[in-house]
Amino acid sequence: VFWLHNFAYPDASSFTGCDAVVVPSDFSREHYRHAIGLNCIALPPVVDLSRVVVDRPGGGKYLTYVNPIPEKGVFLFARIVAALGERRPDIPVLVVEGRGRADWLRRCGLNSANTTSVFRMPNTSDPRNFYHVSRLLIMPSVWQE
C-alpha cells in the first residue's frame, strides 16, 4: 500500500506493484484519476483533536503564517506583511518555519526595517504551540492541496 500525500507523480509507473494507493481526500483521488488514470482510495487522515484544539481565554495576538516557501504563497505573504508594516504596524505577525525558513521573506524583497512586528517560531511538531498564540491563521497556498 502506498500512502500518497502530494501531487508530484506525473505517471502511474511509480505505483506498479502496489496493491493500493491511499490519498487523504476525494480531491486527491479525483486529481490522480484524471491526471494519470490512477484509481486511489480516499482515506481522510485521523485528527487527534487534543493536538489541534487549544483553550485560549482572551484569544491569541498574532497573524500567523506557516511554512514560508513559494508553494505555500510566501511571495503573496511578503506583500501582505509589507502592507501591514506600512498601514498597521501594530498587528504582530508570526512566521512558523517548516520546510522553509523565515529568511524567505527577505528573499522576497521584504525590507525588515519596515516590518518590526514580524516574529519567527522554529518548526514544531505540535501545532498547538502556534495555534495558542494566533488570532488568525493565513494560508495563501498557490498549489493544489
Side-chain angles (χ1 to χ4, degrees):
V1 174
F2 191 98
W3 188 250
L4 179 58
H5 272 269
N6 61 49
F7 298 103
Y9 292 86
D11 61 67
S13 65
S14 299
F15 309 103
T16 302
C18 294
D19 291 324
V21 177
V22 178
V23 293
S25 67
D26 287 333
F27 179 83
S28 299
R29 181 175 48 87
E30 288 302 309
H31 167 80
Y32 273 111
R33 187 173 67 79
H34 289 293
I36 62 174
L38 183 66
N39 291 318
C40 302
I41 300 165
L43 181 63
V46 176
V47 176
D48 178 358
L49 291 179
S50 69
R51 301 249 319 136
V52 295
V53 175
V54 296
D55 179 24
R56 10 169 221 164
K61 68 177 187 176
Y62 291 103
L63 165 68
T64 300
Y65 170 63
V66 180
N67 198 11
I69 58 175
E71 298 92 330
K72 298 290 186 173
V74 71
F75 294 103
L76 175 59
F77 185 71
R79 293 298 307 139
I80 291 169
V81 171
L84 284 174
E86 293 172 10
R87 294 177 183 90
R88 292 294 309 269
D90 59 308
I91 297 176
V93 175
L94 178 64
V95 177
V96 181
E97 296 179 329
R99 289 188 312 269
R101 301 287 177 247
D103 71 337
W104 257 106
L105 294 175
R106 183 181 38 76
R107 291 165 64 186
C108 292
L110 188 65
N111 181 350
S112 60
N114 298 335
T115 56
T116 57
S117 63
V118 177
F119 301 89
R120 174 193 153 275
M121 177 183 280
N123 190 7
T124 176
S125 62
D126 190 344
R128 292 173 295 186
N129 291 335
F130 57 86
Y131 287 156
H132 183 74
V133 297
S134 298
R135 184 174 190 127
L136 177 69
L137 183 68
I138 187 168
M139 299 170 23
S141 185
V142 295
W143 70 322
Q144 293 181 330
E145 296 207 51

